[in-house]
Amino acid sequence: YSVRHIKWHRTDLTWSLRTTQFQDQNLRSYDVRYVISKALDVWSKHSKLTFAEVDSDRADILIYFHRKDHGDNFPFDGRGIILAHAFFPTGQEGVSVDVHFDADENWTTSGSSDLGTNLFMVAAHEIGHSLGLSHSNVEGALMYPWYTEMKNGFEYELPEDDRLGIQSLYGARDEKKRERIPHYPHQPTYYRPTTTTTTTTTTTMRPVTRPHHKYPYDPRNPYGKHPHDPRNPYGYYPNRSDKSPQKPMHPSKKHHYYPTGSNPDHKPDKKHYTPGYDPNRKSTATRQDYPLVTKRPYTKTVKPHHRNQPHVTHIPTERTTRYVPKEYPGEPPPDTCDTSYDAIAVIRKELFIFKDRYFWRIGDNGLVEKNYPAEITRLWKDFPKNLTHIDAVYERPDGHIAFFIGDKYYLFAGLRVVPGYPKPITDLGLPVSLKKIDGAMVWGHNGQTYFYSGDMYWRFDESVQKVELDYPRNMAMWNGVGTDIDAVFQWKDGRTYFFKGKGFWKFNDQRMSVEHVEQKPSGPFWMGCKQNYEENGLNQK
Amino acid sequence: ASAKLGRIAKREVLDENLNVYLTRFGYMPSATDDAVGALRTEESVRNAIKEMQEFAGIPATGKLDDRTIKLMNTPRCGLPDKSRQTSGRRKR
């Protein structure tokens, strides 16, 4: 290995992805953040370094995607030879270093190189530069300058040459003295601006690490263990075996430790108070104690949960409950232009829409019409032959595809089921009483996974494969969507779409409300069907 | 692959690409860094190739053999392997 001898003088470094628009590359911001965080883990696992994501251009490591000549004397060359470069630390406090990726490359965030150039591998290499390592002449080392395929995907283990290199700069991790805090990319450690008044008023950025009287300072865990401890940037218990009391903050408390007020995971305040959320719930409750989520009979108008929520008019659906799977002996495929949907997801950059035992796919050139809708088992052959429908589906950040059918879920690696599946959804921490989930998605707003069922929703922690302890919460947080949705997903435009009956809502993630109170009909928009309606929806049919 | 190799093996393209490549990744001084750069001899280019081959761990023949051409067509990091260029960059 080869080191620069100029290194960071701290081991707690921050990073930030500064390029967030990936329209040309079909990359998604949260996928890239996830991959970068995994690449950072490669180094932190074997050194004293820790990395926290911040949303600031003052982070220690700034990550950009650029094209061709971008002003630093290291122009990119389009798709091909040069993939990325990074700059070395300067040794000066307050000076950031850049990591640049060639935006013209065919990047893949899946962890393997089957579909393109493996962003994870290249990111891990470039971050090595930003930590002070030069190129190594050891073939097989991560810092070897020529691209080679990594083994084990995201579970890649740092080769010895690189391990020695990083440890020569920052020392080896002492497991006894330092409890490892799981790094999870989708919960960035936001730096909260604080105002200091002296003779002039200046705004400085400092992390949220102040001791709080409710949560005594524990030097073994400076981040705080309690999910509501403002020092805890993760929002959940870093150590899942932790039995410390769980007492959510009362909604009337004005403490608000998060950067925006629009995130449903924030503490409820008066504006966002939800009747289904019990702020006084004690920690003795287990996941199984949560109330049974049952389907309500279909009603044309849903009563709002609070005064700010509009009355919701639904497009009639022919199906209100799917707890008991129906049999479809010889039933014809659904009408492409006149049907509701069971589940929708973007899988491998293509939109898949599922209904009964059929699915459609929508690629860059629109709806694939020839031979579609097709039976689900034609593509995913490991499903049982008597498959009648799926309830929800989403592509996990690690590239696996999770299908939910009733109280079980299947995990597919591509088109083949992962051995050992299906498994009960209770394995994910969902209550025994839950018979199905309505929708699942990775929310583009924060990169977290959410499950929906009836009038409740859960946030799911992908790193430990469990729903988080502070859930379920009430659907009223998703203002205007109502309950008992059919499907939800995040489209390529980064926006969230909820489906119910034969219509859909586009959701405004910033305002946490639907963009249009009235549903829009799904067929014309998603399937390119001829618009038989007046401009805006069903009431004007 | 052989078609690709065939393309890159075209001599006139190769000379140009070779100089750019060796300079870019620190095996030869750039013309602006070194007045001698404009007067590169065949010997100096051969030594630069040899240096790159040694670094990459392939036989150091000093010639543009198939393995070297394949290496040069392999995607890679844009930073130089030898620190002849200044690569530090300050922000803020």
Side-chain angles (χ1 to χ4, degrees), chain A residues 1-2 35-47 49 51 83-84 86 101 111 113 118-151 153-167, chain B residues 55 75-79 81:
Chain A
Y1 64 88
S2 170
V35 168
I36 300 290
S37 74
K38 296 303 265 183
L40 290 159
D41 280 350
V42 168
W43 296 105
S44 62
K45 210 154 63 174
H46 295 286
S47 70
L49 292 166
F51 299 97
L83 305 175
F101 295 94
S113 300
N118 187 340
L119 180 63
F120 169 61
M121 192 198 107
V122 178
H125 175 100
E126 299 305 332
I127 287 162
H129 288 312
S130 68
L131 300 175
L133 290 165
S134 297
H135 282 152
S136 166
N137 61 358
V138 175
E139 198 173 355
L142 178 56
M143 295 313 293
Y144 188 68
W146 288 276
Y147 180 94
T148 46
E149 184 50 61
M150 275 179 168
K151 288 176 183 170
F154 290 139
E155 303 307 315
Y156 174 79
E157 269 298 319
L158 200 58
E160 188 185 11
D161 181 66
D162 305 288
R163 196 166 64 241
L164 294 172
I166 197 70
Q167 289 177 352
Chain B
F55 193 90
R76 57 160 291 155
C77 173
L79 284 194
D81 304 329

Side-chain angles (χ1 to χ4, degrees), chain A residues 311-493:
Chain A
H311 284 256
V312 179
T313 305
H314 298 290
I315 296 168
T317 176
E318 74 278 19
R319 179 173 58 78
T320 58
T321 176
R322 294 298 290 271
Y323 284 3
V324 182
K326 289 192 282 185
E327 295 298 329
Y328 291 88
E331 186 168 319
D335 182 342
T336 300
C337 291
D338 186 26
T339 185
S340 59
Y341 307 135
D342 290 340
I344 306 179
V346 175
I347 300 170
R348 308 289 192 263
K349 296 170 185 169
E350 260 188 276
L351 184 64
F352 285 76
I353 299 179
F354 297 85
K355 172 67 179 175
D356 297 339
R357 58 195 169 103
Y358 296 93
F359 74 100
W360 296 265
R361 57 200 298 180
I362 299 174
D364 290 337
N365 298 322
L367 180 72
V368 181
E369 291 186 56
K370 193 177 180 185
N371 297 328
Y372 284 89
E375 289 192 25
I376 298 169
T377 49
R378 196 178 86 185
L379 199 58
W380 287 280
K381 298 183 194 306
D382 292 337
F383 277 124
K385 292 296 173 202
N386 60 352
L387 177 77
T388 58
H389 73 285
I390 63 168
D391 290 320
V393 59
Y394 79 106
E395 185 180 14
R396 300 197 324 186
D398 65 1
H400 284 49
I401 308 157
F403 291 91
F404 294 83
I405 303 171
D407 58 0
K408 292 190 170 53
Y409 75 104
Y410 291 74
L411 199 62
F412 277 76
L415 301 180
R416 306 307 305 205
V417 72
V418 175
Y421 287 86
K423 290 183 178 177
I425 57 175
T426 50
D427 284 8
L428 304 174
L430 292 163
V432 175
S433 54
L434 195 68
K435 300 301 178 197
K436 67 175 280 255
I437 68 167
D438 297 332
M441 73 156 173
V442 179
W443 193 28
H445 184 64
N446 61 2
Q448 299 274 13
T449 302
Y450 289 83
F451 297 149
Y452 301 82
S453 184
D455 57 358
M456 296 292 200
Y457 74 97
W458 290 260
R459 195 167 79 173
F460 181 67
D461 187 340
E462 294 280 2
S463 64
V464 293
Q465 289 293 299
K466 295 281 182 198
V467 294
E468 298 190 11
L469 291 173
D470 212 19
Y471 289 79
R473 293 182 183 179
N474 196 282
M475 278 296 287
M477 195 61 77
W478 306 86
N479 202 352
V481 172
T483 62
D484 300 288
I485 61 165
D486 283 341
V488 59
F489 83 110
Q490 192 218 348
W491 199 29
K492 292 177 183 177
D493 62 357

